[in-house]
Amino acid sequence: MKVFLRYEDNEDESTHKTLKITLPKSWKTGPTSRLLGQFVESYNGGKEGQLNTLEADKLHLSIRHSTTNSDAEESTELKDLPSDGIVVELIPDRDDVYICHGPSRTSEEINAERQAQIEKEKEAVKHLSKCVHFGCNKRFPKGGPYPECQYHTGPPVFHETAKFWSCCPNKKAYDWEEFQSLPACQSGTCTDVRDEESDKQKQFLGGCDIREKMNGGPKLRSIDD
């Protein structure tokens, strides 16, 4: 197992350093703090350390991971690693591990902070409404103001491996990320009120719905016909 330890948390690029490490077997099942200690020792013993001495107790490790926000937009962000976490359970082979400023925290401390953040977000959502337009996932204060909206007039269709919006049948996608990036066909203002027509619409369609829409589809004949 190999990892790339990267220190880039400094505007002065002359202090940046990447250290490639092949981990001994005992390190794989050991704590991540050992990686941090090894990097700091190597860093401070080199030319970068002469310009910018690092202190292990004032640093922590992070890795990049994908995340999706409330608007269904995907991005990557740094995820802190606990100092007592097991290397092989948290870090993929040949992954980049970033050395960042700020003291390390244990698994218990990170989980407690994460739970507190979840509770805070739940509380915030109680005071927000979600746009009911298809394809728009924006949230806004109950009662407004209402943000601008890009949306679809019809529900999504999931048929076999194809994914598309029923109002835009010529624009198909075959994986979720590609489907999320399909452009909207309407623009307007967000709303949290469904009209009578919207209430009758399904939230998504499948193959049976498509066949029914095409002139009702072929009628099944009984065995007596």
Side-chain angles (χ1 to χ4, degrees):
M1 178 179 180
K2 294 182 175 64
V3 295
F4 297 87
L5 301 176
R6 299 182 183 276
Y7 174 72
E8 301 172 353
D9 198 12
N10 193 312
E11 292 183 359
D12 185 356
E13 293 186 4
S14 65
T15 65
H16 295 181
K17 180 173 182 175
T18 298
L19 180 65
K20 178 181 177 182
I21 298 180
T22 299
L23 301 182
K25 186 176 181 180
S26 61
W27 283 42
K28 298 177 186 178
T29 54
T32 60
S33 58
R34 184 176 292 176
L35 296 181
L36 178 58
Q38 176 63 34
F39 180 86
V40 171
E41 180 180 343
S42 173
Y43 185 94
N44 288 341
K47 61 181 182 179
E48 297 86 1
Q50 296 176 8
L51 300 171
N52 178 48
T53 303
L54 298 179
E55 298 179 52
D57 61 351
K58 296 181 179 179
L59 300 166
H60 65 275
L61 301 179
S62 299
I63 58 174
R64 290 198 176 279
H65 79 123
S66 298
T67 183
T68 303
N69 63 20
S70 59
D71 295 327
E73 297 173 338
E74 188 171 313
S75 60
T76 60
E77 65 181 19
L78 288 175
K79 176 183 179 182
D80 294 351
L81 298 179
S83 58
D84 56 350
I86 304 302
V87 171
V88 72
E89 295 177 359
L90 298 175
I91 304 175
D93 185 27
R94 298 179 181 277
D95 203 13
D96 292 320
V97 181
Y98 296 88
I99 287 77
C100 304
H101 287 285
S104 297
R105 293 166 296 160
T106 64
S107 298
E108 183 177 355
E109 291 171 331
I110 290 177
N111 289 336
E113 183 178 302
R114 187 176 298 146
Q115 187 60 39
Q117 181 62 29
I118 290 174
E119 294 301 323
K120 183 179 179 180
E121 291 175 356
K122 285 182 178 179
E123 187 63 27
V125 168
K126 290 180 182 179
H127 305 288
L128 298 176
S129 293
K130 185 177 181 180
C131 182
V132 298
H133 286 151
F134 290 116
C136 178
N137 295 299
K138 288 183 178 179
R139 293 183 181 274
F140 45 88
K142 292 181 178 179
Y146 300 96
E148 293 183 356
C149 181
Q150 303 293 322
Y151 64 99
H152 289 275
T153 56
V157 179
F158 305 117
H159 179 49
E160 296 180 346
T161 60
K163 302 169 182 62
F164 57 96
W165 294 95
S166 56
C167 51
C168 306
N170 296 323
K171 298 178 181 178
K172 292 183 173 64
Y174 294 90
D175 63 60
W176 186 252
E177 289 74 19
E178 186 182 4
F179 172 68
Q180 290 287 344
S181 66
L182 291 176
C185 60
Q186 297 291 324
S187 61
T189 304
C190 288
T191 180
D192 53 1
V193 179
R194 292 184 180 278
D195 55 31
E196 185 176 345
E197 184 178 346
S198 297
D199 278 337
K200 295 179 181 179
Q201 283 186 305
K202 292 183 176 181
Q203 291 304 296
F204 65 89
L205 305 176
C208 293
D209 299 296
I210 296 175
R211 287 189 290 272
E212 288 177 6
K213 192 173 182 180
M214 296 173 63
N215 299 320
K219 294 184 179 180
L220 296 177
R221 299 175 65 185
S222 71
I223 59 175
D224 296 325
D225 291 341

